[in-house]
Amino acid sequence: MNILIKLSLAGALGLVSVAGAAQEMKSGNLMIMDPWVRFTIEGRPAGGYMKVQNSGAQADKLLSATSPLAERVEIHTSFMKDGIMKMRPVAHIDVPAKGYVELKSGGLHFMIFGLKPGLKTGDKLPLSIVFEKAGTVNVEAEIRAGGKMKMKMKMKM
Ligand SMILES: [Cu+2]
């Protein structure tokens, strides 16, 4: 009985944290929506994703990012070559005026190297994102399981 109650409570808490996961951070004309990081095994770089919306009449540029819990963060783009998904660093990401850019799996993304060991799904990774015009915007990206990485891990098991 006790165990049942604990389990259902854990389930309810899980639902609450999922519902509260979608984050927004506004800075000037920029809005950072739903920043998250894909959980990865220790020692592997992790992908970081979010949507950056610009309500201003001037375009901006995402120049770089850092995290106190990672060695370095690169900006990557993904592309197909000979049927294989590859990626390479890019210098910046354009944020169009009165528009948005989405950092997502298989497209532009943050590549986060040297994550502090012990981070797990549900933890928040602080990210300081530097824009050419808007300056530095601090967000907390939730670490989530998901996508291709999860499927790979399932196949290995
Ligand atoms: Cu990458």
Side-chain angles (χ1 to χ4, degrees):
M1 187 61 181
N2 242 334
I3 291 166
L4 267 179
I5 289 166
K6 272 183 194 156
L7 279 176
S8 63
L9 183 63
L13 288 174
L15 277 179
V16 168
S17 77
V18 168
Q23 245 209 19
E24 286 182 359
M25 178 60 70
K26 202 174 186 310
S27 174
N29 292 321
L30 294 188
M31 174 106 81
I32 313 281
M33 296 154 90
D34 196 26
W36 67 284
V37 170
R38 176 175 287 144
F39 176 77
T40 185
I41 54 169
E42 264 176 46
R44 295 286 306 275
Y49 313 101
M50 63 196 61
K51 185 174 170 181
V52 182
Q53 194 160 325
N54 182 5
S55 59
Q58 264 191 319
D60 207 334
K61 277 180 185 173
L62 193 167
L63 299 175
S64 64
T66 55
S67 172
L69 300 183
E71 278 167 23
R72 71 177 196 281
V73 181
E74 293 183 355
I75 309 169
H76 281 188
T77 186
S78 312
F79 58 99
M80 292 294 285
K81 199 184 175 197
D82 303 327
I84 299 166
M85 180 75 82
K86 300 196 167 198
M87 34 190 201
R88 65 157 179 263
V90 293
H92 68 266
I93 293 174
D94 287 309
V95 185
K98 305 251 179 229
Y100 69 88
V101 63
E102 205 168 357
L103 280 66
K104 60 186 180 190
S105 191
L108 293 160
H109 58 276
F110 286 125
M111 201 92 249
I112 303 158
F113 293 87
L115 275 172
K116 185 174 164 261
L119 288 169
K120 57 190 188 304
T121 56
D123 288 348
K124 297 277 172 65
L125 185 75
L127 277 174
S128 296
I129 306 169
V130 181
F131 293 90
E132 188 179 67
K133 296 200 174 72
T136 301
V137 182
N138 296 310
V139 301
E140 292 208 316
E142 188 185 33
I143 298 173
R144 295 179 196 163
K148 289 173 201 158
M149 185 64 74
K150 198 178 177 185
M151 279 160 60
K152 262 188 209 161
M153 283 163 73
K154 266 187 191 160
M155 272 155 40
K156 273 186 203 159
M157 282 170 10

